[in-house]
Each structure stands twice: as C-alpha cells, then as structure tokens.
Coordinates of all heavy atoms in Angstrom, one line a residue:
M1 N 141.0 -71.5 143.7 CA 140.6 -70.9 145.0 C 140.0 -69.5 144.6 O 140.6 -68.7 143.8 CB 141.8 -70.7 145.9 CG 141.5 -70.1 147.2 SD 142.9 -70.1 148.3 CE 142.7 -71.6 149.1
N2 N 138.8 -69.2 145.2 CA 138.1 -67.9 144.8 C 138.7 -66.8 145.7 O 139.4 -67.0 146.7 CB 136.6 -68.1 144.9 CG 136.2 -68.4 146.3 OD1 136.9 -68.3 147.3 ND2 134.9 -68.9 146.4
S3 N 138.2 -65.6 145.4 CA 138.7 -64.4 146.2 C 138.2 -64.4 147.6 O 138.8 -63.8 148.5 CB 138.3 -63.1 145.4 OG 136.9 -63.0 145.4
E4 N 137.0 -65.1 147.9 CA 136.5 -65.1 149.2 C 137.4 -65.9 150.2 O 137.6 -65.4 151.3 CB 135.1 -65.6 149.2 CG 134.0 -64.8 148.6 CD 132.7 -65.5 148.7 OE1 132.5 -66.5 149.3 OE2 131.8 -64.9 148.1
T5 N 137.9 -67.0 149.7 CA 138.7 -67.8 150.7 C 140.1 -67.2 150.9 O 140.7 -67.4 151.9 CB 138.9 -69.2 150.1 OG1 139.4 -69.2 148.8 CG2 137.5 -69.9 150.1
S6 N 140.6 -66.4 150.0 CA 141.9 -65.7 150.2 C 141.8 -64.6 151.2 O 142.8 -64.3 151.9 CB 142.5 -65.3 148.9 OG 141.7 -64.3 148.3
S7 N 140.7 -64.0 151.3 CA 140.5 -62.9 152.3 C 139.9 -63.2 153.6 O 139.9 -62.5 154.5 CB 139.7 -61.7 151.6 OG 138.4 -62.1 151.4
S8 N 139.2 -64.4 153.7 CA 138.5 -64.8 154.8 C 138.9 -66.2 155.2 O 139.0 -67.1 154.4 CB 137.0 -64.8 154.6 OG 136.3 -65.3 155.7
P9 N 139.1 -66.4 156.5 CA 139.5 -67.8 157.0 C 138.3 -68.8 157.1 O 138.5 -69.9 157.3 CB 140.1 -67.6 158.3 CG 139.4 -66.3 158.8 CD 139.2 -65.5 157.6
F10 N 137.1 -68.2 156.9 CA 135.9 -69.0 157.0 C 135.6 -69.7 155.7 O 135.5 -69.0 154.7 CB 134.7 -68.2 157.5 CG 135.0 -67.5 158.8 CD1 135.2 -66.1 158.8 CD2 135.1 -68.2 159.9 CE1 135.5 -65.5 160.0 CE2 135.4 -67.6 161.1 CZ 135.5 -66.2 161.2
P11 N 135.3 -71.0 155.7 CA 135.0 -71.7 154.4 C 133.6 -71.3 153.9 O 132.7 -71.0 154.7 CB 135.0 -73.2 154.8 CG 134.8 -73.2 156.3 CD 135.3 -71.9 156.8
T12 N 133.4 -71.3 152.7 CA 132.1 -71.1 152.0 C 131.7 -72.4 151.3 O 132.5 -73.3 151.2 CB 132.1 -69.9 151.1 OG1 133.1 -70.2 150.0 CG2 132.5 -68.6 151.8
S13 N 130.5 -72.4 150.8 CA 130.0 -73.6 150.1 C 130.8 -73.8 148.8 O 130.8 -74.9 148.4 CB 128.5 -73.5 149.9 OG 128.3 -72.4 149.1
T14 N 131.4 -72.8 148.3 CA 132.2 -73.0 147.0 C 133.5 -73.7 147.3 O 134.1 -74.3 146.4 CB 132.4 -71.6 146.3 OG1 133.2 -70.8 147.2 CG2 131.2 -71.0 145.9
T15 N 134.0 -73.6 148.5 CA 135.3 -74.3 148.8 C 135.1 -75.7 149.3 O 136.1 -76.4 149.5 CB 136.0 -73.5 149.9 OG1 135.3 -73.4 151.1 CG2 136.4 -72.1 149.4
T16 N 133.9 -76.2 149.5 CA 133.7 -77.5 150.0 C 133.8 -78.5 149.0 O 133.9 -79.7 149.2 CB 132.3 -77.6 150.7 OG1 131.3 -77.3 149.8 CG2 132.3 -76.7 152.0
G17 N 133.8 -78.1 147.7 CA 133.9 -79.1 146.6 C 132.6 -79.8 146.3 O 132.6 -80.9 145.7
T18 N 131.5 -79.2 146.6 CA 130.2 -79.9 146.2 C 130.1 -79.8 144.7 O 130.4 -78.8 144.1 CB 129.0 -79.2 146.9 OG1 129.0 -77.8 146.6 CG2 129.1 -79.4 148.4
T19 N 129.5 -80.8 144.1 CA 129.4 -80.8 142.7 C 127.9 -80.8 142.3 O 127.1 -81.4 143.0 CB 130.1 -82.1 142.1 OG1 129.5 -83.2 142.7 CG2 131.6 -82.0 142.4
G20 N 127.7 -80.2 141.2 CA 126.3 -80.2 140.7 C 126.0 -81.4 139.8 O 126.8 -82.3 139.8
A21 N 125.0 -81.3 139.0 CA 124.7 -82.4 138.1 C 125.7 -82.6 137.0 O 125.9 -83.7 136.5 CB 123.3 -82.1 137.4
T22 N 126.5 -81.5 136.6 CA 127.4 -81.6 135.6 C 128.8 -82.1 136.1 O 129.7 -82.4 135.3 CB 127.6 -80.2 134.9 OG1 128.1 -79.3 135.8 CG2 126.3 -79.8 134.2
G23 N 129.0 -82.2 137.4 CA 130.2 -82.7 137.9 C 131.2 -81.6 138.3 O 132.3 -81.9 138.7
S24 N 130.8 -80.3 138.0 CA 131.7 -79.3 138.4 C 131.3 -78.7 139.7 O 130.2 -78.8 140.1 CB 131.7 -78.2 137.2 OG 130.4 -77.6 137.2
A25 N 132.2 -77.9 140.3 CA 131.9 -77.3 141.6 C 130.8 -76.3 141.4 O 130.8 -75.6 140.4 CB 133.2 -76.7 142.2
S26 N 130.0 -76.1 142.3 CA 128.9 -75.1 142.2 C 129.5 -73.7 142.4 O 130.5 -73.6 143.1 CB 127.8 -75.4 143.3 OG 128.4 -75.3 144.6
T27 N 128.9 -72.7 141.8 CA 129.4 -71.4 141.9 C 128.4 -70.4 142.4 O 127.2 -70.8 142.6 CB 129.8 -70.9 140.5 OG1 128.6 -71.0 139.6 CG2 130.9 -71.7 139.9
G28 N 128.8 -69.2 142.8 CA 127.8 -68.2 143.2 C 127.6 -68.3 144.7 O 126.8 -67.5 145.2
G29 N 128.3 -69.1 145.4 CA 128.2 -69.1 146.9 C 126.9 -69.8 147.4 O 126.6 -69.7 148.6
T30 N 126.2 -70.4 146.6 CA 124.9 -71.2 147.0 C 125.1 -72.6 146.6 O 125.8 -73.0 145.7 CB 123.7 -70.6 146.4 OG1 123.8 -70.7 145.0 CG2 123.5 -69.1 146.8
D31 N 124.4 -73.4 147.4 CA 124.3 -74.8 147.0 C 122.8 -75.2 147.0 O 122.0 -74.4 147.2 CB 125.1 -75.7 148.0 CG 124.7 -75.6 149.4 OD1 123.8 -74.7 149.7 OD2 125.2 -76.3 150.3
A32 N 122.5 -76.5 146.8 CA 121.2 -76.9 146.6 C 120.4 -76.8 147.9 O 119.2 -76.6 147.8 CB 121.2 -78.4 146.2
G33 N 121.0 -76.7 149.0 CA 120.3 -76.6 150.3 C 120.0 -75.2 150.6 O 119.3 -75.0 151.6
G34 N 120.4 -74.2 149.9 CA 120.2 -72.8 150.2 C 121.1 -72.3 151.3 O 120.7 -71.4 152.0
M35 N 122.2 -72.9 151.5 CA 123.1 -72.5 152.6 C 123.9 -71.3 152.3 O 124.6 -70.7 153.1 CB 124.1 -73.7 153.0 CG 123.3 -74.9 153.6 SD 122.5 -74.5 155.1 CE 123.9 -74.2 156.1
G36 N 123.9 -70.8 151.0 CA 124.7 -69.6 150.6 C 124.3 -68.4 151.4 O 125.1 -67.6 151.8
A37 N 123.0 -68.2 151.6 CA 122.6 -67.0 152.3 C 123.0 -67.1 153.8 O 123.4 -66.1 154.4 CB 121.0 -66.9 152.2
D38 N 122.9 -68.3 154.4 CA 123.4 -68.5 155.7 C 124.9 -68.2 155.9 O 125.3 -67.6 156.8 CB 123.0 -69.9 156.2 CG 121.5 -70.1 156.4 OD1 120.8 -69.0 156.6 OD2 121.1 -71.3 156.5
S39 N 125.6 -68.7 154.9 CA 127.1 -68.5 155.1 C 127.4 -67.1 154.9 O 128.3 -66.6 155.5 CB 127.8 -69.4 154.1 OG 127.6 -69.0 152.7
G40 N 126.7 -66.3 154.0 CA 126.9 -64.9 153.9 C 126.5 -64.2 155.2 O 127.3 -63.2 155.6
R41 N 125.5 -64.6 155.8 CA 125.2 -63.9 157.1 C 126.2 -64.3 158.2 O 126.6 -63.4 159.0 CB 123.8 -64.5 157.6 CG 122.6 -63.8 157.0 CD 121.3 -64.2 157.6 NE 120.4 -64.5 156.5 CZ 119.7 -65.5 156.4 NH1 119.7 -66.5 157.3 NH2 118.9 -65.7 155.4
V42 N 126.7 -65.5 158.2 CA 127.8 -65.8 159.1 C 129.0 -65.0 158.8 O 129.7 -64.5 159.8 CB 128.1 -67.3 159.0 CG1 129.3 -67.7 159.8 CG2 126.9 -68.1 159.6
Q43 N 129.4 -64.8 157.6 CA 130.5 -64.0 157.2 C 130.3 -62.6 157.7 O 131.3 -62.0 158.2 CB 130.8 -64.1 155.7 CG 131.7 -65.3 155.3 CD 132.1 -65.2 153.9 OE1 131.4 -64.7 153.1 NE2 133.3 -65.7 153.6
R44 N 129.2 -62.0 157.4 CA 128.9 -60.6 157.8 C 129.0 -60.5 159.3 O 129.5 -59.6 159.9 CB 127.5 -60.2 157.3 CG 127.6 -59.8 155.8 CD 126.3 -59.1 155.4 NE 125.1 -59.8 155.7 CZ 124.5 -60.7 154.9 NH1 125.0 -61.1 153.8 NH2 123.4 -61.3 155.3
L45 N 128.4 -61.5 160.1 CA 128.4 -61.4 161.5 C 129.8 -61.6 162.0 O 130.2 -60.8 162.9 CB 127.6 -62.6 162.0 CG 127.5 -62.7 163.6 CD1 126.8 -61.5 164.1 CD2 126.8 -63.9 164.0
A46 N 130.6 -62.5 161.4 CA 132.0 -62.6 161.9 C 132.8 -61.3 161.6 O 133.6 -60.9 162.4 CB 132.7 -63.8 161.1
Q47 N 132.6 -60.7 160.4 CA 133.3 -59.5 160.1 C 132.9 -58.4 161.0 O 133.7 -57.6 161.5 CB 133.0 -59.1 158.7 CG 133.7 -57.8 158.2 CD 133.4 -57.5 156.8 OE1 132.7 -58.2 156.1 NE2 134.0 -56.4 156.3
S48 N 131.6 -58.3 161.4 CA 131.2 -57.2 162.3 C 131.8 -57.4 163.7 O 132.1 -56.5 164.4 CB 129.7 -57.0 162.3 OG 129.1 -58.2 162.8
A49 N 131.8 -58.7 164.1 CA 132.4 -59.0 165.4 C 133.9 -58.7 165.4 O 134.4 -58.1 166.4 CB 132.2 -60.5 165.7
H50 N 134.6 -59.0 164.3 CA 136.0 -58.7 164.2 C 136.2 -57.2 164.3 O 137.1 -56.7 164.9 CB 136.5 -59.2 162.9 CG 138.0 -59.0 162.7 ND1 138.9 -59.6 163.5 CD2 138.7 -58.2 161.8 CE1 140.2 -59.2 163.1 NE2 140.0 -58.3 162.1
E51 N 135.4 -56.4 163.6 CA 135.5 -54.9 163.6 C 135.2 -54.4 165.0 O 135.9 -53.5 165.5 CB 134.5 -54.3 162.6 CG 134.9 -54.6 161.1 CD 133.9 -54.2 160.1 OE1 132.8 -53.8 160.6 OE2 134.1 -54.3 158.9
A52 N 134.3 -55.0 165.7 CA 134.0 -54.5 167.1 C 135.1 -54.8 168.0 O 135.4 -54.0 168.8 CB 132.7 -55.2 167.6
V53 N 135.8 -55.9 167.8 CA 136.9 -56.3 168.7 C 138.1 -55.3 168.4 O 138.8 -54.9 169.3 CB 137.4 -57.7 168.4 CG1 138.7 -58.0 169.0 CG2 136.3 -58.7 169.0
D54 N 138.2 -55.0 167.1 CA 139.3 -54.0 166.7 C 139.0 -52.6 167.4 O 139.9 -52.0 167.9 CB 139.4 -53.8 165.2 CG 140.1 -55.0 164.6 OD1 140.7 -55.8 165.3 OD2 140.0 -55.2 163.3
R55 N 137.8 -52.2 167.3 CA 137.4 -50.9 167.9 C 137.7 -51.0 169.4 O 138.2 -50.0 170.0 CB 136.0 -50.5 167.6 CG 135.8 -50.0 166.2 CD 134.4 -49.4 166.1 NE 133.3 -50.3 166.5 CZ 132.7 -51.1 165.6 NH1 133.0 -51.2 164.4 NH2 131.7 -51.9 166.1
L56 N 137.3 -52.0 170.1 CA 137.5 -52.2 171.5 C 139.0 -52.2 171.9 O 139.4 -51.5 172.8 CB 136.8 -53.5 172.0 CG 137.0 -53.8 173.5 CD1 136.3 -52.7 174.3 CD2 136.4 -55.1 173.8
E57 N 139.8 -52.8 171.0 CA 141.2 -52.8 171.3 C 141.8 -51.4 171.2 O 142.6 -51.1 172.0 CB 141.9 -53.8 170.3 CG 143.4 -53.9 170.4 CD 144.0 -54.7 169.4 OE1 143.4 -55.0 168.4 OE2 145.2 -55.0 169.5
Q58 N 141.4 -50.7 170.2 CA 141.8 -49.3 170.0 C 141.4 -48.5 171.2 O 142.2 -47.6 171.7 CB 141.3 -48.7 168.7 CG 142.0 -49.3 167.5 CD 141.4 -48.8 166.2 OE1 140.3 -48.1 166.3 NE2 141.9 -49.1 165.1
T59 N 140.2 -48.6 171.7 CA 139.7 -47.8 172.8 C 140.5 -48.2 174.1 O 140.9 -47.2 174.8 CB 138.2 -48.1 173.0 OG1 137.5 -47.8 171.8 CG2 137.7 -47.3 174.2
L60 N 140.7 -49.4 174.3 CA 141.4 -49.8 175.5 C 142.9 -49.4 175.4 O 143.5 -49.0 176.4 CB 141.4 -51.4 175.7 CG 140.0 -51.9 176.1 CD1 140.0 -53.4 176.2 CD2 139.5 -51.3 177.4
S61 N 143.5 -49.4 174.3 CA 144.8 -49.0 174.1 C 145.0 -47.6 174.4 O 145.9 -47.1 175.1 CB 145.3 -49.4 172.7 OG 146.6 -48.8 172.5
S62 N 144.1 -46.7 173.8 CA 144.2 -45.3 174.1 C 143.9 -45.0 175.6 O 144.5 -44.1 176.2 CB 143.2 -44.5 173.2 OG 141.9 -44.8 173.5
G63 N 143.0 -45.7 176.2 CA 142.6 -45.6 177.6 C 143.8 -46.0 178.5 O 144.1 -45.3 179.5
S64 N 144.5 -47.0 178.1 CA 145.6 -47.4 179.0 C 146.8 -46.4 178.8 O 147.5 -46.2 179.8 CB 146.1 -48.8 178.6 OG 146.6 -48.9 177.3
D65 N 147.0 -45.9 177.6 CA 148.0 -44.8 177.4 C 147.7 -43.6 178.3 O 148.5 -43.0 178.9 CB 148.1 -44.4 176.0 CG 148.7 -45.6 175.1 OD1 149.3 -46.5 175.6 OD2 148.5 -45.4 173.9
K66 N 146.4 -43.3 178.3 CA 146.0 -42.1 179.1 C 146.2 -42.4 180.6 O 146.7 -41.5 181.4 CB 144.5 -41.8 178.8 CG 144.0 -40.4 179.3 CD 142.6 -40.3 179.0 CE 142.3 -40.3 177.5 NZ 140.9 -40.1 177.2
M67 N 145.9 -43.6 181.1 CA 146.0 -43.9 182.5 C 147.5 -43.9 182.8 O 147.9 -43.5 183.9 CB 145.4 -45.3 182.8 CG 143.9 -45.3 182.8 SD 143.3 -44.3 184.1 CE 143.7 -45.3 185.5
M68 N 148.4 -44.4 182.0 CA 149.8 -44.4 182.2 C 150.3 -43.0 182.4 O 151.1 -42.7 183.2 CB 150.6 -45.1 181.1 CG 150.3 -46.6 181.1 SD 150.9 -47.5 182.5 CE 152.7 -47.4 182.3
G69 N 149.8 -42.1 181.6 CA 150.2 -40.7 181.7 C 149.7 -40.1 183.0 O 150.5 -39.4 183.7
W70 N 148.5 -40.4 183.5 CA 148.0 -39.9 184.7 C 148.8 -40.5 185.9 O 149.1 -39.8 186.8 CB 146.5 -40.3 184.9 CG 145.6 -39.5 184.1 CD1 145.8 -38.4 183.4 CD2 144.2 -39.9 183.8 NE1 144.7 -38.0 182.7 CE2 143.7 -38.9 183.0 CE3 143.4 -40.9 184.3 CZ2 142.4 -38.9 182.6 CZ3 142.1 -40.9 183.9 CH2 141.6 -39.9 183.0
Q71 N 149.1 -41.8 185.8 CA 149.9 -42.4 186.8 C 151.2 -41.7 187.0 O 151.7 -41.4 188.1 CB 150.1 -43.9 186.5 CG 150.8 -44.7 187.6 CD 152.3 -44.8 187.4 OE1 152.8 -44.6 186.3 NE2 153.0 -44.9 188.5
Q72 N 151.9 -41.4 185.9 CA 153.2 -40.8 185.9 C 153.1 -39.4 186.5 O 153.9 -39.0 187.3 CB 153.8 -40.7 184.5 CG 155.2 -40.1 184.4 CD 156.2 -41.0 185.0 OE1 156.1 -42.2 184.9 NE2 157.2 -40.4 185.6
E73 N 152.0 -38.6 186.0 CA 151.9 -37.2 186.5 C 151.6 -37.2 188.0 O 152.2 -36.5 188.8 CB 150.7 -36.6 185.7 CG 150.4 -35.2 186.1 CD 149.2 -34.6 185.4 OE1 148.8 -35.2 184.3 OE2 148.6 -33.6 185.8
Y74 N 150.6 -38.0 188.5 CA 150.2 -37.9 189.9 C 151.3 -38.6 190.8 O 151.5 -38.2 191.9 CB 148.8 -38.6 190.1 CG 147.7 -37.7 189.5 CD1 146.9 -38.1 188.5 CD2 147.5 -36.4 190.0 CE1 145.9 -37.3 188.0 CE2 146.6 -35.6 189.5 CZ 145.8 -36.0 188.5 OH 144.8 -35.2 188.0
G75 N 152.0 -39.6 190.2 CA 153.1 -40.2 191.0 C 154.2 -39.2 191.2 O 154.8 -39.1 192.3
D76 N 154.5 -38.4 190.2 CA 155.5 -37.3 190.4 C 155.1 -36.3 191.4 O 155.9 -35.8 192.2 CB 155.8 -36.7 189.0 CG 156.6 -37.6 188.1 OD1 157.1 -38.6 188.6 OD2 156.6 -37.3 186.9
M77 N 153.8 -35.9 191.3 CA 153.3 -34.9 192.3 C 153.3 -35.5 193.7 O 153.7 -34.7 194.6 CB 151.8 -34.5 191.9 CG 151.7 -33.6 190.8 SD 150.0 -33.3 190.2 CE 149.0 -33.2 191.7
A78 N 153.0 -36.7 193.9 CA 153.0 -37.3 195.2 C 154.4 -37.4 195.8 O 154.7 -37.1 196.9 CB 152.4 -38.7 195.2
R79 N 155.4 -37.8 194.9 CA 156.8 -37.8 195.2 C 157.3 -36.5 195.7 O 158.0 -36.4 196.7 CB 157.6 -38.3 194.1 CG 158.5 -39.5 194.4 CD 159.2 -40.0 193.2 NE 158.5 -41.2 192.7 CZ 157.9 -41.2 191.6 NH1 157.9 -40.2 190.7 NH2 157.3 -42.3 191.2
D80 N 156.9 -35.4 195.0 CA 157.3 -34.1 195.3 C 156.7 -33.7 196.7 O 157.4 -33.1 197.5 CB 156.9 -33.1 194.2 CG 157.7 -33.3 193.0 OD1 158.7 -33.9 193.0 OD2 157.2 -32.8 191.9
Q81 N 155.5 -34.0 197.0 CA 154.8 -33.6 198.2 C 155.5 -34.4 199.4 O 155.7 -33.8 200.4 CB 153.4 -34.0 198.2 CG 152.5 -33.1 197.3 CD 152.4 -31.7 197.9 OE1 152.4 -31.5 199.1 NE2 152.4 -30.7 197.0
V82 N 155.9 -35.6 199.2 CA 156.5 -36.4 200.2 C 157.9 -35.8 200.5 O 158.3 -35.7 201.7 CB 156.6 -37.9 199.9 CG1 157.5 -38.6 200.9 CG2 155.2 -38.5 199.9
R83 N 158.6 -35.4 199.5 CA 159.9 -34.8 199.7 C 159.9 -33.4 200.4 O 160.7 -33.1 201.2 CB 160.6 -34.6 198.4 CG 161.2 -35.9 197.8 CD 162.0 -35.7 196.5 NE 162.4 -36.9 196.0 CZ 162.1 -37.3 194.7 NH1 161.6 -36.4 193.9 NH2 162.5 -38.4 194.3
E84 N 158.8 -32.7 200.1 CA 158.7 -31.3 200.8 C 158.1 -31.4 202.2 O 158.5 -30.7 203.1 CB 157.7 -30.5 199.9 CG 158.3 -30.1 198.6 CD 157.3 -29.3 197.8 OE1 156.2 -28.9 198.2 OE2 157.6 -29.1 196.6
N85 N 157.2 -32.4 202.5 CA 156.6 -32.6 203.8 C 156.7 -34.0 204.2 O 155.6 -34.7 204.3 CB 155.2 -32.1 203.7 CG 155.0 -30.7 203.2 OD1 155.7 -29.8 203.7 ND2 154.1 -30.5 202.3
P86 N 157.8 -34.5 204.7 CA 157.9 -36.0 205.0 C 157.1 -36.3 206.3 O 156.5 -37.4 206.3 CB 159.4 -36.2 205.2 CG 160.0 -34.9 205.4 CD 159.1 -33.8 204.7
L87 N 157.0 -35.4 207.2 CA 156.2 -35.7 208.5 C 154.7 -35.8 208.2 O 154.0 -36.6 208.7 CB 156.6 -34.7 209.6 CG 158.0 -34.8 210.2 CD1 158.2 -33.8 211.2 CD2 158.2 -36.2 210.7
A88 N 154.3 -34.9 207.3 CA 152.8 -34.9 207.0 C 152.5 -36.1 206.2 O 151.4 -36.8 206.4 CB 152.5 -33.6 206.2
A89 N 153.4 -36.6 205.3 CA 153.1 -37.8 204.5 C 153.1 -39.0 205.5 O 152.3 -39.9 205.3 CB 154.3 -38.0 203.5
L90 N 154.0 -39.0 206.5 CA 154.0 -40.1 207.4 C 152.7 -40.1 208.3 O 152.1 -41.2 208.5 CB 155.2 -40.0 208.4 CG 155.4 -41.1 209.4 CD1 155.6 -42.4 208.6 CD2 156.6 -40.8 210.3
G91 N 152.2 -38.9 208.7 CA 151.0 -38.9 209.4 C 149.8 -39.3 208.6 O 148.9 -40.0 209.1
V92 N 149.7 -38.9 207.3 CA 148.6 -39.3 206.4 C 148.7 -40.8 206.2 O 147.6 -41.5 206.3 CB 148.7 -38.5 205.1 CG1 147.7 -39.2 204.1 CG2 148.4 -37.1 205.3
A93 N 149.8 -41.4 206.0 CA 150.0 -42.8 205.8 C 149.5 -43.6 207.1 O 148.8 -44.6 207.0 CB 151.4 -43.2 205.5
F94 N 149.9 -43.1 208.2 CA 149.4 -43.7 209.5 C 147.9 -43.7 209.6 O 147.3 -44.6 209.9 CB 150.1 -43.0 210.7 CG 149.8 -43.6 212.0 CD1 150.3 -44.8 212.4 CD2 148.9 -43.0 212.9 CE1 150.0 -45.4 213.6 CE2 148.5 -43.6 214.1 CZ 149.1 -44.8 214.5
A95 N 147.3 -42.5 209.4 CA 145.9 -42.3 209.5 C 145.1 -43.3 208.5 O 144.1 -43.9 208.8 CB 145.5 -40.9 209.2
V96 N 145.6 -43.3 207.3 CA 145.0 -44.2 206.3 C 145.1 -45.7 206.7 O 144.2 -46.5 206.6 CB 145.7 -44.0 204.9 CG1 145.2 -45.1 203.9 CG2 145.3 -42.6 204.3
G97 N 146.3 -46.1 207.3 CA 146.4 -47.4 207.8 C 145.4 -47.7 208.9 O 144.9 -48.8 209.0
I98 N 145.2 -46.8 209.8 CA 144.2 -47.0 210.9 C 142.8 -47.2 210.3 O 142.0 -48.1 210.7 CB 144.2 -45.8 211.9 CG1 145.6 -45.7 212.6 CG2 143.1 -45.8 212.9 CD1 145.8 -46.8 213.6
I99 N 142.4 -46.3 209.3 CA 141.1 -46.4 208.7 C 140.9 -47.7 208.0 O 139.9 -48.4 208.2 CB 140.9 -45.2 207.7 CG1 140.8 -43.9 208.5 CG2 139.7 -45.4 206.9 CD1 140.8 -42.7 207.7
F100 N 141.9 -48.2 207.3 CA 141.8 -49.5 206.6 C 141.7 -50.6 207.5 O 141.0 -51.6 207.3 CB 143.0 -49.7 205.6 CG 142.8 -49.0 204.2 CD1 143.8 -48.4 203.6 CD2 141.5 -49.0 203.7 CE1 143.7 -47.8 202.4 CE2 141.4 -48.3 202.4 CZ 142.4 -47.8 201.8
S101 N 142.5 -50.6 208.6 CA 142.4 -51.6 209.6 C 141.0 -51.7 210.2 O 140.5 -52.8 210.5 CB 143.5 -51.5 210.7 OG 143.2 -50.4 211.5
K102 N 140.4 -50.5 210.5 CA 139.1 -50.5 211.1 C 138.1 -51.1 210.1 O 137.1 -51.8 210.5 CB 138.7 -49.1 211.5 CG 139.5 -48.5 212.6 CD 139.2 -49.2 213.9 CE 140.0 -48.5 215.0 NZ 139.8 -49.1 216.3
L103 N 138.2 -50.7 208.8 CA 137.3 -51.2 207.8 C 137.4 -52.7 207.6 O 136.3 -53.4 207.5 CB 137.5 -50.5 206.5 CG 137.1 -49.0 206.4 CD1 137.5 -48.4 205.1 CD2 135.6 -48.9 206.6
F104 N 138.6 -53.2 207.5 CA 138.7 -54.6 207.1 C 138.8 -55.6 208.4 O 138.8 -56.8 208.1 CB 140.0 -54.8 206.3 CG 139.9 -54.1 205.0 CD1 140.8 -53.1 204.6 CD2 138.9 -54.5 204.1 CE1 140.7 -52.5 203.4 CE2 138.8 -53.9 202.8 CZ 139.7 -52.9 202.5
M105 N 138.8 -55.2 209.5 CA 138.8 -56.0 210.7 C 137.4 -56.5 211.1 O 137.2 -57.4 211.8 CB 139.4 -55.3 211.9 CG 141.0 -55.1 211.7 SD 141.8 -56.7 211.4 CE 141.9 -57.4 213.0
R106 N 136.4 -55.9 210.5 CA 135.0 -56.3 210.8 C 134.5 -57.5 210.2 O 134.7 -57.9 209.2 CB 134.0 -55.1 210.5 CG 134.3 -53.9 211.4 CD 133.4 -52.8 211.0 NE 133.8 -51.6 211.9 CZ 133.0 -50.6 212.1 NH1 131.8 -50.5 211.6 NH2 133.5 -49.6 212.8

C-alpha cells in the first residue's frame, strides 16, 4: 500500500492493481489511459472541498457560540426589566400580540 492510500480514502490508479507489460503494478500514479492527472485533480478538488467544509464548520461554531452569549446576555436583561416593571412588560406583550394578530390575520 502506498502513502497516498493511507492518507486519503480516495482510490488512485496505483491501488486498482492494473498491470503493465511486465506484469507488475504500474507506478507513478498514471496508467496507460492518462487517468493519473485526472485522479490528481480529483484529489486536489476533494481536499480543497474538505478544507472549505472545515473552515465553514469553524465559522459556524464560533458564530453559534457568539449567539449563545448574546442570548444569555439579552435574556438576563429582559428578565431584569420584567422583574422591575411587570405592568409595563404586560402592556408591551399585549401590544405586540395585537400587532401580530393584525399582521397575520390578513
């Protein structure tokens, strides 16, 4: 097994077991049909796609952590406001309910 197959799950032409005129497996990642360059491109494309997915995962993870922090912060602020002014909170909730009912009943 060559070093490419141990680090990549994608098969290359050297792992397919194609044999040349001497009966040994072909080497160098190319075969008679010239598929070595194509498999190299596919590997590079797969690797770049994998790296892009990893970057996206890191970005989303940091964004979700930030959103959780904001939710905690603003939730605590809202809770404090409701405790200090319960009648005002009830009035605001009633007004928002009226507005939403007018918007969604059409």
Side-chain angles (χ1 to χ4, degrees):
M1 183 176 270
N2 63 16
S3 63
E4 288 180 6
T5 58
S6 63
S7 65
S8 174
F10 302 108
T12 61
S13 61
T14 59
T15 61
T16 59
T18 56
T19 57
T22 60
S24 64
S26 62
T27 59
T30 61
D31 60 355
M35 294 298 292
D38 289 340
S39 67
R41 279 189 226 128
V42 169
Q43 275 188 326
R44 284 192 304 273
L45 180 64
Q47 182 178 0
S48 64
H50 182 69
E51 290 169 357
V53 167
D54 286 344
R55 284 192 305 269
L56 179 64
E57 180 184 14
Q58 289 173 351
T59 302
L60 290 176
S61 175
S62 67
S64 67
D65 291 343
K66 196 181 299 184
M67 286 297 288
M68 291 295 288
W70 288 347
Q71 184 269 336
Q72 183 70 32
E73 179 183 344
Y74 290 117
D76 291 343
M77 285 175 37
R79 229 175 266 115
D80 292 340
Q81 288 292 326
V82 169
R83 284 188 186 124
E84 291 174 9
N85 305 311
L87 290 178
L90 186 60
V92 168
F94 182 75
V96 168
I98 295 292
I99 291 170
F100 278 141
S101 69
K102 295 287 183 184
L103 288 175
F104 292 120
M105 291 303 283
R106 292 178 185 201

